[in-house]
Amino acid sequence: MALSALALCSRALLKIGAQPIASLDEGTAEAEVAANLYPAVRDALLSLFPWSFATAQAALPRLSARPTADFDHAFQLPVDFLRALSAGTPNSGRGLVYRILEDRLHCSAEQVILSYIFRPVEAAFPPFFAAALATRLAAEFCIPLTENTSRAQLLLNQAEAELRSARQADSQQATPRGIEDFPLLNARG
C-alpha cells in the first residue's frame, strides 16, 4: 500500500488492536477518530523539528498593504506554511528581523527569502518519520477507541522514543552547522 493518510491511520489502528479502515469517511468509529485526529497530529509532528523532507525556501511576494506599525512591508506566507525557521535576503536565507502576524510576514526588507516547514504529501515521508507518526497516532487513537489509558501511555512513550530516533536520523542528512557569533568564542581571541 502506498504511503497515504489512510495507510498511516490504518497502521496506527492495527497497533491498538483495532480493524484497519478502507476510507477516512466510511462512517465507523475508527474512521471518525482517524479523520478528526490525523491532520492535527501530522501537522504537530511536522512542526516540531526542521525535518529535511519538510523544509523549503521561498521568495515571498510583497503585499501592497503596509503593516500598521513596526515594519515597512508585509509579505504573503506560502499556502503550505506550518512554521518559520528563518528569513533573509536573496543572498542569505537568514538574518532578517521579522514577525509573523496572521498569514503574513512583516519585515522592513524589500525582498524576503523564507526558510520554513511545509506540509509535504505523505508519499514524501521517509520511513523513520512515518513510523514515528503511526505510533503517535496510535497513542492518540487509543483512548477514544479503547479507553485504555495504560496502553495509551505505553504507546506515547514508544512514540517519543521513535521521534527521537527519527530526529537523529534526519539530522544526519546535512553538514552540521558551525557555531557563529558566539560571545565566548570571540572572548578567547
Side-chain angles (χ1 to χ4, degrees):
M1 179 186 292
L3 194 58
S4 64
L6 179 62
L8 288 163
C9 289
S10 289
R11 283 185 198 174
L13 289 166
L14 288 171
K15 284 180 179 268
I16 63 171
Q19 291 296 315
I21 54 176
S23 169
L24 288 172
D25 57 3
E26 70 182 21
T28 63
E30 291 85 355
E32 187 175 330
V33 166
N36 284 300
L37 294 179
Y38 175 76
V41 173
R42 176 204 56 210
D43 288 355
L45 284 188
L46 285 169
S47 298
L48 282 178
F49 185 76
W51 303 103
S52 60
F53 65 93
T55 301
Q57 287 186 319
L60 300 182
R62 192 167 73 191
L63 301 171
S64 58
R66 293 177 51 106
T68 305
D70 301 328
F71 295 102
D72 296 331
H73 305 290
F75 297 85
Q76 184 64 55
L77 291 172
V79 293
D80 58 356
F81 173 85
L82 290 175
R83 179 172 74 98
L85 298 174
S86 65
T89 60
N91 296 328
S92 175
R94 54 194 167 107
L96 288 179
V97 175
Y98 67 93
R99 181 177 306 134
I100 295 184
L101 299 169
E102 297 175 357
D103 63 342
R104 298 178 305 276
L105 181 139
H106 292 194
C107 183
S108 291
E110 295 290 324
Q111 295 178 314
V112 172
I113 302 295
L114 179 69
S115 298
Y116 68 102
I117 302 294
F118 70 96
R119 185 182 303 109
V121 296
E122 285 79 2
F125 293 170
F128 55 81
F129 182 80
L133 177 56
T135 305
R136 180 59 186 259
L137 287 168
E140 297 288 336
F141 294 174
C142 194
I143 292 176
L145 294 174
T146 69
E147 297 181 8
N148 188 333
T149 56
S150 60
R151 180 187 278 176
Q153 187 60 49
L154 179 70
L155 286 164
L156 189 56
N157 292 342
Q158 184 181 354
E160 289 301 318
E162 287 185 21
L163 191 57
R164 279 191 301 276
S165 295
R167 284 185 191 139
Q168 183 179 16
D170 191 71
S171 66
Q172 295 172 357
Q173 298 192 84
T175 304
R177 280 174 74 179
I179 298 172
E180 299 173 4
D181 299 327
F182 188 62
L184 293 178
L185 290 177
N186 295 335
R188 292 178 69 185

